[in-house]
Amino acid sequence: MNGGTTTATRAEYCVVACAEAWRDAGEVLASPMGTVPTIGARLAKLTFSPDLLLTDGEALLMGDVPEVGAAAQVVEGWLPYRRHLALVATGRRHVMMGASQLDRHGNQNISCIGDWAWPERQLLGVRGAPVNTLNNPTSYWVPRHTPRVFVERVDMVCGVGYDRAAAAGPSATRYHRIPEVISNLGVFDFETPDRTMRLRSLHPGVTVEEVVRATGFALTVPDEVPPTREPTAEELRLIREAVDPKALRDREVPAA
């Protein structure tokens, strides 16, 4: 560890939780959005998902795993926008998007806050969120878990949740899947009878009460909530020395 501590930080737990979303994914394209998911995808490729496809964020498939912010030294493919969209339509992609708002059914908003006709805040726009959620697995990363993000009802639906996909019918549900939501407090999924959000694990130092207070809707909480998986010594070495030696992860998830 180059003389550093072997105790994992909150950011490193988040990295490993993001990496787990791509465990044993096979030859699919990882599309991480955000610093921690990017580190997580690269960690997954270096460890338990060697066949994972990574891009440079533009049009190249990387054959190696450079540190965050560095250019790839090995290029194994050309992936222009048109081909990227073809991968989306065939489901051979797992994207991890951000969310300005998320509700208990997994509906996501990145477009605006307030009434769509006269919003209080203009955000990114809908972008590719509907196509992502209806055609390939879509997970979410939220670096700051608050009631302003985890809301009872999103102001505008961009990413499609389980309730709206079900209402739209088989054409929407056929490939729709939201495997995980990862925040700075824990890991969540929708493995409940009514497909609403469930607390799956807690990051170290976080309590159930803290998560409930930070969530603006009724969250399913099991009787026993396990801790988020601890990074191994090798994973910590890879995170700190190979993938993110500049510790950019700590800017996105400061120490608790």
Side-chain angles (χ1 to χ4, degrees), residues 13 27 31 45 47 55 78 96 132 147 155 165 170 174-175 181 185 226 245:
Y13 273 91
E27 195 174 272
S31 292
K45 184 173 178 64
T47 53
T55 77
W78 169 241
M96 186 171 289
N132 288 341
D155 292 339
R174 184 177 181 185
Y175 299 115
V181 175
L185 299 183

Side-chain angles (χ1 to χ4, degrees), residues 18-206:
C18 288
E20 284 288 346
W22 288 287
R23 178 177 283 274
D24 301 326
E27 195 174 272
V28 302
L29 180 67
S31 292
M33 301 180 187
T35 301
V36 166
T38 296
I39 300 167
R42 296 185 186 198
L43 177 66
K45 184 173 178 64
L46 288 171
T47 53
F48 44 71
S49 295
D51 295 328
L52 199 64
L53 301 178
L54 301 177
T55 77
D56 65 348
E58 294 185 10
L60 299 178
L61 284 172
M62 301 189 300
D64 59 352
V65 184
E67 70 175 72
V68 175
Q73 299 301 306
V74 180
V75 175
E76 66 177 4
W78 169 241
L79 191 68
Y81 196 60
R82 179 176 58 191
R83 293 185 182 178
H84 198 135
L85 289 178
L87 277 178
V88 174
T90 56
R92 296 181 61 196
R93 177 175 179 255
H94 184 164
V95 59
M96 186 171 289
M97 299 180 67
S100 300
Q101 292 180 327
L102 269 175
D103 68 21
R104 65 197 302 261
H105 298 283
N107 295 294
Q108 170 243 34
N109 175 25
I110 52 172
S111 183
C112 64
I113 301 298
D115 189 286
W116 180 83
W118 196 261
E120 300 170 20
R121 296 286 186 274
Q122 178 65 52
L123 306 174
L124 289 172
V126 176
R127 302 181 72 85
V131 175
N132 288 341
T133 49
L134 295 182
N135 287 277
N136 50 233
T138 303
S139 295
Y140 293 107
W141 160 243
V142 179
R144 190 174 178 216
H145 190 133
T146 73
R148 295 179 64 181
V149 178
F150 289 78
V151 297
E152 183 64 39
R153 182 182 177 88
V154 298
D155 292 339
M156 180 176 179
V157 175
C158 300
V160 180
Y162 280 100
D163 59 338
R164 287 180 176 267
S171 62
T173 58
R174 184 177 181 185
Y175 299 115
H176 179 267
R177 188 163 71 92
I178 308 174
E180 295 182 355
V181 175
I182 298 119
S183 81
N184 63 314
L185 299 183
V187 180
F188 307 81
D189 61 26
F190 297 87
E191 299 302 318
T192 57
D194 59 352
R195 287 296 196 178
T196 55
M197 195 179 294
R198 177 186 72 161
L199 175 59
R200 196 169 81 192
S201 73
L202 290 167
H203 301 330
V206 180

